[in-house]
Amino acid sequence: MKQLTDKVTFPNGATLSSRLVQPPMLTNSGDHGFVTQDTLDYYGARSNSAAMVIVEYTSVSENGGPSRSWADDREQLAIYDDKFIPQMTKLATTLKQDGNKALLQIVHSGREANYLPKLGKKVYAPSAIDFSFLDYPVYELSDAQIRQIIKDFGAATLRAIKCGFDGVEIHGANHYLIQEFFSKWSNKRTDHWGGSLAKRMNFAKEVTAEVMRVVKAEAPKDFIVGYRISPEEIHDEIGYTWHESTQLIQALTTEFDLDYIHLSLPAYNEKPADSDKTFAELFQPVLNGKKEIIVGNVMNEADAKDALNYTDLVAVGRASIIDPLFAHKIVTGHGDDIITKISPEQVKLAKMTPGLINLFSDMKMEPHLPGRESIAILHKSGSLDASVIHNGTKSDLKDIEEGKL
């Protein structure tokens, strides 16, 4: 019977000390793409949050982000240039200080690079579609631009190797560029990169091929490579369902020496509308010996144990924001001591970044952190009256705004 405390060995030989993973979650802590002290403090507090921590989505191309930025100096991280290596090296070293694995998720945000228009720059995607939910135009990538982005993924992988990360995760989920190419809703191309299902797979396959080429040439033998995917994309129009996405994963796990597939889910036991099996179970026949990670609404040890019934590795997101020692407490037999609600005190102890504080103190944010009512006053929406902070002072608010908490 599988236990959370089991060691897990990937196909490449790398071994994790437990079955617990911290998934990539944006911190909006970058300064023009650079790792900041906020970033280091946050991840430094989480060097024992899981056996493997995957650093948030990091841009591989200059036109690949930032997306969802909170402020000019609180942006998405980047690794599209060698100038980012020194600070990224500090981040990798910080995360690995207790012997756990540190991975970097690499991404091109595509149409979701919504901060670029604020900088007077264009946003690119597979097709030039007028998306009603965007307040900026989207431009179609040329074939030459697409091939350059593929090379950018390889260059970003090489930088991650030089920085000392133990692996990379290719971000093919959450409506970013790789998923946009796979989706028949957002990809209207009729060339090599779109049209049939097979052609809509080409971008994901060629990105993976380039990443694996660099890894085989430059990385240690046990360098971990994973691929993250959203199992379905369903709007008024269907981008794809699990019937198609499992075909993509079948192709990727057959053709490439990946170590794991990471399913991006709202809940770990989520099922599609047309099956009585969970997504985790439906993807298992196409893993071809690769490990599976699932994520979604794992908030305590009991949830993690239940999730393990469906998968090899359990990713713990929001719960590890609240308690940075989530995995450490389980591994040492103190799972009952996991802190499950956020509070002003825990905001400080957990080294939450100003971007995360602002995000999760928003009473409209979903999914939310349990206990968010206690930190609602920390939300910055235009103006904020510091005099009414619960359990805090005006100086506390100043520290939050300056990123010192």
Side-chain angles (χ1 to χ4, degrees), residues 149-271:
I149 291 170
I150 291 170
K151 291 179 181 178
D152 291 345
F153 272 93
T157 300
L158 180 57
R159 293 186 187 104
I161 294 167
K162 291 180 177 179
C163 290
F165 283 100
D166 298 302
V168 294
E169 179 175 279
I170 302 167
H171 198 353
N174 304 124
H175 296 92
Y176 297 119
L177 188 64
I178 296 178
Q179 179 172 327
E180 290 168 20
F181 269 99
F182 187 57
S183 167
K184 63 185 176 184
W185 178 66
S186 57
N187 183 352
K188 305 300 183 184
R189 304 177 74 103
T190 57
D191 58 1
H192 177 72
W193 308 108
S196 66
L197 174 61
K199 288 185 176 181
R200 286 188 281 115
M201 291 183 185
N202 282 339
F203 185 69
K205 290 169 69 173
E206 295 198 28
V207 165
T208 305
E210 177 65 7
V211 168
M212 296 307 304
R213 182 191 68 79
V214 172
V215 168
K216 288 182 179 180
E218 304 290 345
K221 184 180 178 180
D222 60 354
F223 190 83
I224 302 164
V225 182
Y227 187 95
R228 195 178 205 204
I229 188 168
S230 297
E232 292 193 325
E233 181 190 295
I234 299 177
H235 312 281
D236 291 335
E237 296 182 41
I238 296 176
Y240 61 86
T241 69
W242 68 271
H243 299 278
E244 293 171 305
S245 60
T246 50
Q247 292 181 62
L248 172 59
I249 296 306
Q250 172 71 37
L252 293 177
T253 57
T254 300
E255 296 180 32
F256 305 107
D257 294 328
L258 293 168
D259 291 294
Y260 69 82
I261 298 298
H262 187 175
L263 302 187
S264 181
L265 298 164
Y268 66 84
N269 53 1
E270 189 86 1
K271 299 176 181 178

Side-chain angles (χ1 to χ4, degrees), residues 123-134:
V123 173
Y124 290 95
S127 302
I129 297 172
D130 182 13
F131 293 101
S132 60
F133 52 87
L134 300 180

Side-chain angles (χ1 to χ4, degrees), residues 50-72:
M52 183 172 78
V53 177
I54 309 170
V55 173
E56 64 200 86
Y57 67 154
T58 301
S59 298
V60 303
S61 306
E62 191 167 5
N63 65 5
S67 63
R68 290 180 172 81
S69 292
W70 176 56
D72 289 344

